[in-house]
Amino acid sequence: MESVSWKRAAFLDPLRVIAADEAHSKKEPRLFCIGRGQRGILTVRFTQRGGHIRIIGAGYWRKGKEFYEKTNR
């Protein structure tokens, strides 16, 4: 069985947080998924197109970690 992509791991976290990325693109909604990955709290920026999730970027960003921890107190 293939392991889960590190970018997809955030979506599998039951405590994940989904938030709107209001600072970007007005043409299509962009969202953040902030969840726990193998190396810590992961932030994934994504959009939905035609029933599929398109990942725009991902990383272990301090602001995402702070938001996740504040939301899951």
Side-chain angles (χ1 to χ4, degrees), residues 4-51:
V4 175
S5 161
W6 69 275
K7 295 175 188 174
R8 293 181 183 162
F11 292 95
L12 299 176
D13 180 357
L15 298 176
R16 72 186 171 273
V17 178
I18 305 290
D21 180 2
E22 296 176 356
H24 290 85
S25 185
K26 302 298 180 203
K27 294 180 182 180
E28 66 182 357
R30 290 195 179 179
L31 304 162
F32 288 110
C33 177
I34 305 168
R36 187 170 300 281
Q38 286 184 319
R39 297 186 308 165
I41 305 303
L42 177 63
T43 302
V44 180
R45 198 165 84 225
F46 70 100
T47 190
Q48 295 178 323
R49 289 186 184 163

